[in-house]
Amino acid sequence: MASTVATASIFGIDAYSVDLEADVSPGLSAFLVVGLPDTAVQEARERVKSAMKHSDLPFPRTKITINLAPADLRKAGTGFDLPMAIAILITSGNLPALEPNVSMLAGELSLEGKLRPIAGALSIALLASKLGYKEIILPEANADEAALVPGLTVRAATSLKQVVEHLEKRNPLDAVETRILDIRSDGAIGFDMANIRGQEQSKRALEIAAAGGHNILLQGPPGSGKTLLARTLPSILPDLTTEESLEATRIHSVMGLLPTGGYLTTRPFRTPHHSASAIALVGGGSIPKPGEISLAHRGVLFLDEFPEFPRTVLENLRQPLEDGTVTISRAQGTIHLPARFLLVAAMNPCPCGYATDTDRHCTCTPVQIDRYRKKLSGPLLDRIDLTIEVPKVQIEKLTDLEPGESSAEIRLRVQSARNRQMERYGKTNSELSGEETRRNIMPDDDARELLRQAVERFKLSARAYFRTLKVSRTIADIEQAENVRIEHVAEALQYRQVA
């Protein structure tokens, strides 16, 4: 008798349904797994065999065939261990058959029969709810994230034996209480704008970037505070919304990076090293997984030593910076990964770093400086809304004990500006398309004339024109102004790199 247990596999950040079919037939002892399993799924044979032995459950000494349907899609991960063991028990007559469309199972087994957490439990729970399953049985460590899905009964177990006793109705597993996201601001953790001396213009630019979700490039000599400014940016960002938290949590769940508590309460801050590969940065692989830009979704992606990243790697950022998604195509299909992040890049003005330092002599030749700057392409720089020069901080500022404006105070202005944008069109200014920008952002006559002159003088592209308009609108939102005025456009143009 063959049996079927419902489970799921992850492709990208989405789960797709897998029917795990088991058949026990006469013959020499063998254990076959078919249906395009990867190495981790193939190795489940040894884990399942050992787990059943240590759980005092009978393991058939005949031919066992496991089929993972649909058979034309590659299966990856360790979540098939638990459904595989249950299917074998049902097929061998040691467990009653499962009711159709009632239970979905997923979990990794240890050799002793304990259940270990799996990646992507939230996506699997969302799939189970979408397909109409009444309950999902998962390892206890995955219960918190799965319980975020309303209308689905989540049952958590610590061992294979517990699951078997539940299915036999001898010792039912308790249902995990459905959770409601409780996102509260933790304030500035470790970094606070009040502790940054000087750099008033840089802090102003970061406030604008945070308020409108604009990409920013920090340029300056070594030790001027670029990295500190970037690391302090999360302290002035507004709280995650419930929808944003779920989006980010789902990505981190697939990568097995969820914090204690089962969901993200603060915006992600990712800082990949400049030796990162293109796949590490944007995602991919034979079985596509999210990269750093997706892990930074709804948060900050900080690229320090920006020109030191290989140019071919940086060019992969162009489409995600424009669309807020990254598209990965493989033979199995095409996936779209969310990548709506705020880019903060930092760089020196030249290879030695001291071209703009008034106290140090630059040893670079013009050719070296030109070659260094050409590591960043024009189309990539055109997608960065604000470029700010971070000067060396004078000793008088460094020894000043008077704290500056705190992150909490700046954050109130940022949150207020974001609220105005959400009320106006349900997204941040940086997310507006060209047509939406044209319809929604109407500068007054003086501002429009200044912008026209800037386009003609600096030969700004259409993209640069619209991005300058969006930055102007963000500045107006911070100032709580109804219309974009000439001073807002003038400030936005100061941050535009034109050469």
Side-chain angles (χ1 to χ4, degrees):
M1 179 188 77
S3 64
T4 302
V5 175
T7 184
S9 185
I10 302 294
F11 187 66
I13 64 169
D14 295 315
Y16 63 89
S17 179
V18 173
D19 289 331
L20 190 149
E21 301 170 336
D23 178 67
V24 176
S25 55
L28 295 175
S29 179
F31 194 165
L32 304 176
V33 180
V34 298
L36 288 183
D38 73 347
T39 303
V41 182
Q42 289 279 14
E43 291 175 346
R45 296 174 297 178
E46 303 306 320
R47 292 193 296 272
V48 169
K49 196 182 301 183
S50 178
M52 291 178 68
K53 181 184 77 172
H54 285 90
S55 300
D56 297 323
L57 297 170
F59 186 82
R61 297 298 177 183
T62 56
K63 183 179 179 181
I64 302 171
T65 304
I66 300 291
N67 178 46
L68 305 173
D72 60 336
L73 293 178
R74 184 165 294 279
K75 318 303 185 305
T78 57
F80 297 103
D81 294 9
L82 175 61
M84 200 176 289
I86 297 301
I88 291 171
L89 289 170
I90 294 172
T91 303
S92 58
N94 294 296
L95 201 62
L98 300 182
E99 294 182 43
N101 302 318
V102 173
S103 302
M104 181 175 282
L105 286 74
E108 177 184 340
L109 290 172
S110 72
L111 297 182
E112 294 182 345
K114 302 296 183 183
L115 278 174
R116 288 178 171 160
I118 59 172
L122 178 56
S123 293
I124 295 173
L126 287 167
L127 174 69
S129 176
K130 179 181 177 182
L131 295 178
Y133 285 89
K134 295 179 180 179
E135 68 175 18
I136 184 169
I137 301 175
L138 293 167
E140 190 175 54
N142 293 119
D144 284 344
E145 54 182 298
L148 295 172
V149 181
L152 178 69
T153 300
V154 177
R155 301 193 188 277
T158 59
S159 67
L160 171 60
K161 199 162 188 175
Q162 274 192 339
V163 178
V164 171
E165 290 176 352
H166 167 75
L167 296 176
E168 290 176 334
K169 296 182 170 48
R170 287 195 290 127
N171 190 12
L173 294 169
D174 293 333
V176 179
E177 185 178 352
T178 301
R179 306 177 68 201
I180 298 175
L181 287 176
D182 182 17
I183 303 170
R184 297 176 184 174
S185 170
D186 293 321
I189 302 176
F191 300 95
D192 194 299
M193 286 289 183
N195 300 325
I196 298 178
R197 300 294 181 261
Q199 306 296 9
E200 301 305 325
Q201 188 179 20
S202 300
K203 289 190 280 188
R204 168 68 173 176
L206 286 177
E207 181 180 343
I208 296 169
H214 302 289
N215 304 316
I216 183 169
L217 172 63
L218 305 172
Q219 298 183 99
S224 58
K226 303 184 298 294
T227 301
L228 178 60
L229 285 163
R231 291 188 178 278
T232 310
L233 177 60
S235 70
I236 65 172
L237 287 171
D239 288 337
L240 282 167
T241 65
T242 299
E243 182 181 353
E244 289 173 341
S245 178
L246 277 174
E247 290 174 1
T249 295
R250 200 166 155 215
I251 299 167
H252 283 70
S253 170
V254 167
M255 298 300 289
L257 298 175
L258 278 185
T260 303
Y263 60 91
L264 296 184
T265 58
T266 57
R267 294 186 181 273
F269 183 83
R270 305 294 299 183
T271 59
H273 190 261
H274 56 73
S275 61
S277 66
I279 289 177
L281 193 63
V282 303
S286 56
I287 299 176
K289 290 187 175 181
E292 290 290 338
I293 63 173
S294 292
L295 289 169
H297 181 63
R298 298 302 179 185
V300 176
L301 177 69
F302 176 43
L303 301 184
D304 204 0
E305 306 298 341
F306 199 36
E308 299 304 326
F309 284 83
R311 180 164 177 162
T312 53
V313 172
L314 290 180
E315 292 305 299
N316 287 294
L317 293 175
R318 284 160 58 172
Q319 183 230 345
L321 285 173
E322 197 72 25
D323 302 335
T325 61
V326 57
T327 302
I328 300 173
S329 297
R330 293 292 181 269
Q332 295 185 68
T334 299
I335 63 171
H336 303 280
L337 300 174
R340 182 70 65 183
F341 57 91
L342 194 164
L343 173 66
V344 180
M347 62 178 287
N348 297 324
C350 65
C352 80
Y354 298 107
T356 59
D357 192 333
T358 56
D359 300 324
R360 297 284 295 271
H361 176 66
C362 175
T363 60
C364 303
T365 65
V367 173
Q368 288 175 320
I369 295 175
D370 187 57
R371 187 182 300 121
Y372 179 75
R373 291 183 173 274
K374 282 187 176 179
K375 290 182 178 181
L376 305 175
S377 69
L380 178 60
L381 291 174
D382 207 34
R383 288 166 166 82
I384 296 178
D385 302 333
L386 300 100
T387 301
I388 189 73
E389 187 67 36
V390 183
K392 179 180 178 180
V393 182
Q394 299 303 313
I395 186 63
E396 292 80 10
K397 292 284 188 180
L398 291 176
T399 55
D400 184 8
L401 298 179
E402 188 67 28
E405 190 177 24
S406 71
S407 290
E409 295 173 293
I410 300 174
R411 200 163 182 269
L412 288 175
R413 294 197 297 270
V414 169
Q415 185 70 66
S416 175
R418 281 279 183 108
N419 291 342
R420 292 169 68 89
Q421 294 163 47
M422 292 298 150
E423 291 171 4
R424 191 182 301 121
Y425 27 65
K427 59 178 76 173
T428 62
N429 289 324
S430 65
E431 297 176 56
L432 295 176
S433 66
E435 185 58 31
E436 288 173 328
T437 303
R438 187 182 293 109
R439 285 200 316 267
N440 292 287
I441 302 178
M442 303 294 292
D444 61 26
D445 292 342
D446 291 341
R448 189 180 294 107
E449 176 60 23
L450 175 62
L451 194 54
R452 186 189 65 79
Q453 293 177 10
V455 170
E456 292 179 353
R457 179 175 178 181
F458 300 118
K459 311 302 180 187
L460 298 181
S461 66
R463 180 186 294 113
Y465 167 79
F466 285 120
R467 286 182 176 267
T468 302
L469 259 183
K470 289 187 275 191
V471 173
S472 303
R473 179 65 262 179
T474 299
I475 295 171
D477 288 334
I478 294 173
E479 304 297 330
Q480 298 185 8
E482 289 300 321
N483 299 317
V484 175
R485 301 193 297 266
I486 188 171
E487 59 267 28
H488 304 142
V489 172
E491 184 176 1
L493 287 169
Q494 290 179 15
Y495 301 121
R496 191 76 214 173
Q497 181 164 306
V498 294

